[in-house]
Amino acid sequence: MTDAAASKEGYSGVSTGVEQSVENALLTWRRNAVNIFMACSVLGYLPAMILMLCGQCPPIAWAVKLLLYFSYLVLVFAAFLKAVNHRLRLYAILSLAYLTAIAGVIAYPGPFIRALPVALPVIGLVLSGIRCGRITAAASALLILLTPFLSTLFPVRAKSLTIGAQSSPESFGLMLMQGTGLTAMLLALMILLELFYRFLGQALTDQHHAMNEVERKVGELTRAHASLAQEVDKRRKLEQELTRIADEEKRRLGLEIHDGVCQQITGALLRCEALALRLDRGQPASPDDVKALSTLLEEAIDEAHGVARGLCPLEAAPNAIESAIRTLTRRTQRITGIPCRLVTTGNIHIDDQIKAQHLFRIAQEAISNAVRHAGATAINVELAIAENRIVLQIIDNGHGLPEVLPTCGMGLRTMACRAHLLEGEFSVTPLPQGGTCIRCTVPHSPPSPPFA
């Protein structure tokens, strides 16, 4: 998977989570908004109900009054029955509102009744969603268009909904009742729209923050992917270098065995054949011949021991690492003439032979780098065990590391890799007075005391 594809997939997944979060927030807001809207409607229409009960309204037939009282009671119960699903309560109120509007346009087609169908789609859209808004808008449009024809089409019903002659629009009771109804509708709509406006603002702000968070996480994932790719490439190069070093070590050992042990054994074999030929001729064997043969065999054995020590420089003993590093420093000083010494602190006792082997190879590589590349004239190796930690330091007084490390060199990487395998820490630090300090710190479990 490419970086772009990975980023796009991560972005899509987080965006889906953001959309789901916004949808849940909208559902919660609508549930609370329905409660607030119904409570405001109960309070807003209360004066109109009081005027109707006190007789301060135009004469209305009992069927219309019963419908108005029933609608208001349903509104009161819907406002307090919050345990019922908010959509069911809203649909019940909208249905009764349309019945009231139909009866109203037949009996008293005033401004309140004409405004009610216009307000209902807004309420349905905000409190329920697009589907409810479309249905209520279609119903309201149909009702508004058919309003002029309802009294004509249903004259009997229209007469049954009114008592006597229809009051003039200028009558005080009619104007007061319609004024209170319009005021209640206006306040409810304003409160509803203000709440919705605040919700939209908060939702947009939250979405903006969420998208910023998405972009930040996508950026982090992209950087992490790039860093992982670089690390994988480094590990691949390190594996290739380790393979190359292993192959070179095999070739070196093969040459040492061929040019050393094999030559000594071949010489001893020739001496044996010469001695056997002399004996076959009846010539006596001299002590010098036997001594020369013995010398060749001893040299072959010593050469084989040297090769074996190169393959496994540590013996199977807890204190073998101290002896192996001390031998390494002495041999370095003898061969190069550079002072090289080992300083130990604490009880150098390591039971883990793999750990000891890695530490020895780190010391060997660091000393080799100081001799071959740093131009050092003195090398100090420090090995300490304290507080459940093993600390290995190699300090030289050479010219230090270059500002840009060569890409072909893998010595530092192999040492760092060995420290990582031991779950330790590795650092290379230039010294103020010149030179370099290579430090490796690994965890250490002290040996358990023997049972009494």
Side-chain angles (χ1 to χ4, degrees):
M1 183 182 293
T2 63
D3 294 349
S7 301
K8 184 176 180 180
E9 182 178 351
Y11 184 87
S12 176
V14 180
S15 298
T16 303
V18 172
E19 293 175 359
Q20 185 64 35
S21 177
V22 172
E23 187 67 24
N24 294 336
L26 179 59
L27 179 62
T28 302
W29 178 88
R30 282 174 172 163
R31 188 181 297 113
N32 297 330
V34 166
N35 297 331
I36 297 174
F37 173 75
M38 289 185 177
C40 294
S41 299
V42 169
L43 296 177
Y45 289 117
L46 181 60
M49 293 295 104
I50 294 175
L51 289 174
M52 189 180 299
L53 289 173
C54 296
Q56 300 297 321
C57 65
I60 304 175
W62 65 268
V64 177
K65 284 187 177 181
L66 184 61
L67 177 61
L68 293 176
Y69 288 143
F70 177 74
S71 299
Y72 187 76
L73 287 177
V74 172
L75 178 63
V76 172
F77 280 109
F80 288 98
L81 294 178
K82 298 180 180 180
V84 181
N85 186 276
H86 69 284
R87 283 195 174 94
L88 295 179
R89 292 185 287 150
L90 178 64
Y91 296 158
I93 296 302
L94 291 176
S95 301
L96 290 173
Y98 276 108
L99 289 177
T100 304
I102 293 173
V105 296
I106 296 175
Y108 299 102
F112 170 73
I113 295 302
R114 289 184 176 276
L116 183 60
V118 177
L120 293 179
V122 178
I123 298 173
L125 174 65
V126 174
L127 293 182
S128 182
I130 296 177
R131 182 179 179 182
C132 181
R134 291 175 177 175
I135 294 175
T136 51
S140 295
L142 183 63
L143 178 60
I144 292 172
L145 292 175
L146 294 179
T147 294
F149 305 100
L150 287 178
S151 298
T152 305
L153 294 175
F154 304 100
V156 177
R157 181 176 298 177
K159 293 179 180 178
S160 66
L161 293 177
T162 59
I163 297 178
Q166 189 172 351
S167 301
S168 62
E170 291 79 11
S171 64
F172 177 77
L174 180 61
M175 293 177 63
L176 183 61
M177 187 173 179
Q178 291 188 351
T180 55
L182 286 172
T183 303
M185 184 186 301
L186 176 63
L187 291 176
L189 285 175
M190 288 303 297
I191 293 174
L192 178 62
L193 293 176
E194 183 178 349
L195 291 175
F196 193 61
Y197 175 80
R198 291 181 178 179
F199 168 78
L200 288 178
Q202 185 63 40
L204 290 174
T205 302
D206 293 342
Q207 188 176 22
H208 178 71
H209 293 328
M211 295 308 295
N212 289 340
E213 184 68 15
V214 168
E215 293 177 358
R216 186 185 65 82
K217 290 184 177 180
V218 169
E220 291 180 354
L221 289 174
T222 303
R223 290 190 294 271
H225 185 270
S227 177
L228 181 60
Q230 292 178 358
E231 187 65 24
V232 170
D233 185 62
K234 290 180 181 178
R235 290 298 179 92
R236 181 180 57 82
K237 291 181 179 178
L238 181 60
E239 291 176 357
Q240 293 176 352
E241 183 65 17
L242 291 176
T243 302
R244 185 187 65 80
I245 293 174
D247 292 339
E248 289 183 356
E249 186 69 12
K250 291 178 181 178
R251 286 194 294 270
R252 184 186 65 82
L253 291 174
L255 290 175
E256 289 185 359
I257 294 174
H258 178 270
D259 297 339
V261 178
C262 290
Q263 295 298 328
Q264 300 293 337
I265 294 176
T266 302
L269 178 61
L270 294 175
R271 289 273 184 180
C272 289
E273 291 177 351
L275 182 59
L277 183 60
R278 290 180 61 183
L279 292 175
D280 289 341
R281 292 175 179 177
Q283 299 176 357
S286 65
D288 292 336
D289 293 332
V290 177
K291 186 176 181 180
L293 179 60
S294 176
T295 301
L296 287 174
L297 292 175
E298 288 178 356
E299 290 177 355
I301 293 173
D302 292 340
E303 193 74 24
H305 284 166
V307 174
R309 281 194 298 270
L311 289 172
C312 185
L314 272 69
E315 299 178 358
N319 59 348
I321 184 171
E322 179 181 359
S323 175
I325 294 179
R326 194 175 300 279
T327 302
L328 174 65
T329 56
R330 290 173 179 173
R331 184 170 65 249
T332 301
Q333 182 170 337
R334 184 179 67 253
I335 295 174
T336 64
I338 300 174
C340 185
R341 64 190 185 95
L342 170 66
V343 178
T344 60
T345 303
N347 182 19
I348 309 302
H349 188 100
I350 302 176
D351 291 326
D352 191 342
Q353 294 298 310
I354 296 178
K355 182 180 295 185
Q357 183 78 16
H358 281 301
L359 290 172
F360 174 81
R361 294 302 184 186
I362 291 174
Q364 186 181 42
E365 182 68 26
I367 293 174
S368 175
N369 287 344
V371 172
R372 292 186 299 168
H373 305 299
T377 59
I379 303 172
N380 292 326
V381 182
E382 299 177 2
L383 182 63
I385 295 181
E387 298 181 356
N388 299 328
R389 308 288 289 179
I390 303 174
V391 180
L392 173 65
Q393 284 193 154
I394 300 92
I395 302 174
D396 66 73
N397 63 348
H399 49 68
L401 295 173
E403 294 183 0
V404 179
L405 294 177
T407 56
C408 59
M410 295 292 293
L412 293 177
R413 295 182 184 179
T414 56
M415 288 188 284
C417 180
R418 291 182 185 276
H420 176 72
L421 292 175
L422 298 178
E423 298 180 354
E425 299 174 357
F426 179 80
S427 64
V428 181
T429 307
L431 300 177
Q433 67 274 15
T436 307
C437 175
I438 294 178
R439 180 183 177 91
C440 178
T441 305
V442 298
H444 174 63
S445 299
S448 302
F451 292 101

